[in-house]
Amino acid sequence: RIGTGSPRRAAQLAVLRGDITCVPIRGNAGTRLAKVRDGELDAVVLAYAGLARIGHTDLVSEVFEPDSMVPSPGQGALAVECRAEDAELTGLLATIDHWQSRAAVTAERGLLAALEAGCSAPVGAYAALSGTQLRLDAVVLGEKMIVREHGEADATDAARLGRELAARMLALGAADLVGGNTDRNDAHD
């Protein structure tokens, strides 16, 4: 039995390893790790960055790469918002803009928006740059069906790439998988 706090991760694990049983868990990393230590679970799926932050990377037995465990759209990205009319602040913030991250998140969030899905939907998206070419890999998971697609475009077309990939996925039945998970006002969005 493996504990995970995300239905999307549980679905991806079921695809990767049909011989395991995933159970939902809640709590901070320490609470979740205690469930393994106490024998309640065989393993838990946690963010590596979170384990690094609390000094427990020694407990990691496997790291899932994005090609096998597609992360949530925008996972790990930081954004800063400011008043558009504040030119001085806008200029200051422009100096820390990382255009590569912005392009990747634009494609990932564009896909999520075009699917009309919120952060609780069983959607994974991962965009990566090679030079100025942006590749977007996406997955929508269901119990009996998986829709997985990828596409590429110039980084300047990141939003279009997300929308076009979503349109292809919707044509393949992704809307049925997103179903009731369309709360776009979710607090985690």
Side-chain angles (χ1 to χ4, degrees), residues 74-139:
Q75 188 75 36
L78 299 176
V80 178
E81 286 187 62
C82 73
R83 295 178 308 279
E85 64 273 3
D86 190 334
E88 182 179 349
L89 183 56
T90 301
L92 180 63
L93 291 174
T95 65
I96 62 169
D97 179 47
H98 188 255
W99 71 266
Q100 299 92 333
S101 295
R102 184 172 23 88
V105 170
T106 297
E108 294 171 13
R109 302 269 307 166
L111 174 108
L112 191 65
L115 290 173
E116 296 185 5
C119 70
S120 61
V123 176
Y126 182 74
L129 277 160
S130 178
T132 61
Q133 274 300 111
L134 185 65
R135 177 183 170 95
L136 177 59
D137 291 290
V139 63

Side-chain angles (χ1 to χ4, degrees), residues 32-33 38 44 57 74 86 95 115 121 128 136 142-143 147 149 159 170:
R32 293 175 186 208
L33 290 169
D38 297 343
V44 291
T57 56
D86 190 334
T95 65
L115 290 173
L136 177 59
E143 287 184 33
V147 177
E149 285 288 311
L170 289 168

